[in-house]
Amino acid sequence: MRVDIDGFREIVGTLTRNRSRTLLTGFGVFWGLFMLLFMLGGGDGVKALLMKNFEGFATNTAILVPGRTSKPYKGLREGRSWSLTMTDVERMRQMVPELDVVTPVLAIWGGDAVYGAKSSKCSVKGVKEDYSNVESPKLKYGRYINIVDVTAGRKVCVIGKKIYNELFPGGGDPCGKFIRVGPIYYQVIGVDFSAGNMSINGTADQSVIIPITVAQQIYHRGGEVDMLCMTGKSGIKVSGIQRKIRQTVSREHSLDPGDEQALMIIDTEELFTYMDDLMRGVNLLIWLVGLGTLLAGAIGVSNIMIVTVKERTVEIGIRRAIGATPKMILSQIMAESITLTFMAGMLSIMFTVMILSALDLAMQSQGVSFQISFGLAMAAAALLALLGAAAGLAPARRAMSIKPVDAMRDE
């Protein structure tokens, strides 16, 4: 729609003369768009923040944790304890071919890592080299545990970010240095900067990871393991083979296959699914609230334009009498409506970007973004133009129907 300079000045003059109504109506559009864009940008940031808790974890992981039996089985009483063993690792690989990785974990809680006069609370994980397929490390320095470390029983370790910061506050590469956990000294071979908050015997940033063979020897654990971590092959959902996993373990350890307390299976795939469903619901709510508020603002624009047209009945009638066509009147009213919504919308977009930028700065250490995309901003501008045109349609039709004679009679 083409509007010349004089026409634009007239539009601005009309909106200025009705300053209080213009501000009130413009605020409705401003607030509606701000709510929509802020919640969309903020929602994406919150989702990224929540997903960082699962950073590094395979999405198709199952973790087997033994517990006390809650049902008697084959003459064995309820309430008895049992343990997973290294034999279960090979058994699971043979009996459940759908699994890609099966790796044991030994968990030792409540230790202290010491370097010189500095110490840091930690938990110790005894793992094999393939544990990195379950919880992927984000190495800042050095390397991860390898098969030679496990086979030779080397006293080496990979430390988490928090432990590194507390033991080596000056920074730098700590690889090759020795730290003490309990009575044993371990050589640091890597630093894991993973930020995930999933806790398998403590979070990654507070863990000291050592070869499982060393953990078995030092902590006198023999062939026992605290948990088994496993991932499904490509295209295999762990939830679909849980029953087979449970039956395999239950048969060997004389457990009731239906006793879920005796064998707890933590399925990270379900956690990711719950998170995705939650965020889809939140996004739907955001769109409903934002679009509803925006629509209310557009209705306000339409109402103010109807009042404006009624107040300008004489003016419009005179313009018709001196030769203005219905199309010219239509263009004028539609342009006023679009200008009002567009100006309020542009201010809203700029304000939203400023607020989200402030959130970005506040959350910079978390490495997540709360900004809206350029495409979303352009889509919002297009939506505003559409709403502005729709809001001005009814007032414009009313203005077109005004006849010069009726306008003079109103005067």
Side-chain angles (χ1 to χ4, degrees), residues 83-84 105-108 215-226:
S83 299
L84 290 164
V105 177
L106 273 178
I108 298 91
Q216 288 172 327
Q217 180 182 6
I218 292 174
Y219 297 100
H220 309 290
R221 299 298 299 273
E224 292 184 359
V225 296
D226 292 313

Side-chain angles (χ1 to χ4, degrees), residues 15 77 80 83 107 137-138 190 213-214 226 241 270 278 289 359:
L15 296 177
R77 61 181 177 83
R80 63 189 175 90
S83 299
K138 187 178 180 180
T213 49
V214 176
D226 292 313
I241 57 175
E270 292 182 357
L278 174 63
V289 173
L359 274 177

Side-chain angles (χ1 to χ4, degrees), residues 34 36-45 348-363 368-373 376:
F34 170 74
L36 177 61
L37 295 179
F38 178 77
M39 288 191 294
L40 285 174
D44 288 343
S348 181
I349 291 174
M350 288 188 290
F351 183 70
T352 304
V353 170
M354 289 175 56
I355 297 298
L356 291 176
S357 295
L359 274 177
D360 265 353
L361 290 175
M363 302 298 294
V368 297
S369 175
F370 287 84
Q371 277 296 354
I372 57 175
S373 66
L376 182 59

Side-chain angles (χ1 to χ4, degrees), residues 113 120 122 160-167 205-208:
S120 176
C122 70
K161 181 179 180 180
K162 187 173 185 295
I163 298 173
Y164 167 75
N165 289 333
E166 293 181 352
L167 297 188
D205 64 343
Q206 290 184 282
S207 295
V208 174

Side-chain angles (χ1 to χ4, degrees), residues 123-403:
S123 58
V124 178
K125 293 181 185 178
V127 303
K128 296 184 69 175
E129 71 286 348
D130 54 358
Y131 180 74
S132 60
N133 294 310
V134 174
E135 187 178 5
S136 299
K138 187 178 180 180
L139 294 174
K140 175 72 173 179
Y141 298 106
R143 62 174 178 84
Y144 199 68
I145 301 293
N146 62 31
I147 191 170
V148 178
D149 298 325
V150 176
T151 304
R154 292 175 175 172
K155 292 182 176 65
V156 294
C157 69
V158 176
I159 60 176
K161 181 179 180 180
K162 187 173 185 295
I163 298 173
Y164 167 75
N165 289 333
E166 293 181 352
L167 297 188
F168 305 95
D173 187 353
C175 294
K177 297 179 180 179
F178 288 83
I179 66 171
R180 178 172 58 84
V181 181
I184 307 300
Y185 282 86
Y186 301 92
Q187 185 179 30
V188 178
I189 61 171
V191 179
D192 183 8
F193 265 40
S194 294
N197 288 324
M198 282 284 288
S199 179
I200 298 183
N201 184 38
T203 56
D205 64 343
Q206 290 184 282
S207 295
V208 174
I209 299 173
I210 64 176
I212 192 170
T213 49
V214 176
Q216 288 172 327
Q217 180 182 6
I218 292 174
Y219 297 100
H220 309 290
R221 299 298 299 273
E224 292 184 359
V225 296
D226 292 313
M227 60 190 78
L228 289 182
C229 298
M230 52 195 69
T231 62
K233 291 182 177 178
S234 178
I236 301 295
K237 291 187 175 182
V238 172
S239 57
I241 57 175
Q242 274 197 27
R243 184 178 178 182
K244 191 173 183 179
I245 292 172
R246 189 177 293 278
Q247 288 177 340
T248 301
V249 176
S250 298
R251 183 168 52 248
E252 177 62 23
H253 294 276
S254 299
L255 306 174
D256 188 324
D259 190 350
E260 295 186 1
Q261 291 187 28
L263 178 62
M264 181 171 61
I265 301 179
I266 303 172
D267 188 351
T268 59
E269 180 189 355
E270 292 182 357
L271 298 178
F272 280 100
T273 300
Y274 292 152
M275 185 64 66
D276 287 340
D277 290 343
L278 174 63
M279 295 312 301
R280 276 195 292 268
V282 170
N283 284 337
L284 178 60
L285 180 62
I286 288 172
W287 278 102
L288 289 176
V289 173
L291 290 177
T293 310
L294 198 58
L295 183 60
I299 293 173
V301 172
S302 182
N303 290 336
I304 192 64
M305 294 305 299
I306 289 176
V307 173
T308 302
V309 167
K310 186 175 182 181
E311 291 179 347
R312 295 167 60 193
T313 299
V314 176
E315 175 193 336
I316 294 173
I318 293 174
R319 291 184 63 187
R320 290 291 305 275
I322 61 177
T325 64
K327 183 177 180 181
M328 294 172 63
I329 302 297
L330 173 68
S331 299
Q332 177 72 21
I333 302 301
M334 293 286 285
E336 289 178 10
S337 176
I338 293 174
T339 300
L340 177 58
T341 54
F342 190 77
M343 290 176 63
M346 289 300 101
L347 288 174
S348 181
I349 291 174
M350 288 188 290
F351 183 70
T352 304
V353 170
M354 289 175 56
I355 297 298
L356 291 176
S357 295
L359 274 177
D360 265 353
L361 290 175
M363 302 298 294
Q364 191 173 17
S365 61
Q366 299 294 330
V368 297
S369 175
F370 287 84
Q371 277 296 354
I372 57 175
S373 66
F374 179 78
L376 182 59
M378 291 300 98
L383 178 61
L384 283 173
L386 181 62
L387 286 175
L393 186 60
R397 292 182 63 183
R398 181 184 178 89
M400 287 174 58
S401 66
I402 295 176
K403 297 179 180 180

